[in-house]
Amino acid sequence: MALAGHSLGGLTTLQALAAEPRFKAGVVLDGAVSPRPLPPIRQDVLTIVGGDGQPDADECRMWAAVRGTRLFIRLPGVEHVGLSDAVWLAGTAVKTGSAAPERVVSVVRRDVASFLDAIFSDLNTEQ
């Protein structure tokens, strides 16, 4: 089973992964940053964030806790809510950089599906 969350749900995903080793992977969509260091996370984690610039020190500290495969994707110009259902509800009112809102949704869906397919592909071959 994999966990996924946006914003505070992204931080909750990381905390749950640290607490429960039976989860296989996590997907964090523009997750909130932990005010405290996280315990080691052994599972694989995909994080997709919006905005410009480099991760700050708090983000780097948080991602250093991930001991499994870490995949970080930045979508330039996409605001925080652009990685949530708000992009469907508010359409072009949500900043999505140079891409149309539908394109951002498509990219997120594709990348999350590809990540989970790769993580769980070994389960399909064991049957």
Side-chain angles (χ1 to χ4, degrees):
M1 182 184 317
L3 300 174
H6 173 260
S7 195
L8 186 54
L11 177 56
T12 302
T13 293
L14 292 174
Q15 291 171 330
L17 290 173
E20 181 50 72
R22 291 179 293 177
F23 292 123
K24 184 144 175 89
V27 175
V28 178
L29 302 174
D30 220 5
V33 177
S34 175
R36 296 180 298 243
L38 290 169
I41 298 166
R42 308 234 181 276
Q43 298 93 328
D44 300 328
V45 176
L46 165 66
T47 182
I48 302 176
V49 300
D52 301 311
Q54 299 297 316
D56 64 23
D58 289 336
E59 289 172 313
C60 291
R61 176 184 41 78
M62 188 170 67
W63 288 108
V66 178
R67 304 293 197 267
T69 299
R70 298 176 292 177
L71 181 57
F72 182 90
I73 299 170
R74 180 173 300 281
L75 301 176
V78 176
E79 69 178 304
H80 181 67
V81 296
L83 294 168
S84 74
D85 290 343
V87 76
W88 284 115
L89 299 171
T92 57
V94 175
K95 294 178 186 165
T96 56
S98 61
E102 297 80 14
R103 176 72 178 134
V104 171
V105 170
S106 176
V107 166
V108 171
R109 283 181 176 172
R110 180 201 64 209
D111 292 348
V112 169
S114 295
F115 173 76
L116 293 175
D117 283 347
I119 297 301
F120 292 109
S121 66
D122 63 326
L123 295 178
N124 293 330
T125 59
E126 292 176 8
Q127 297 178 355

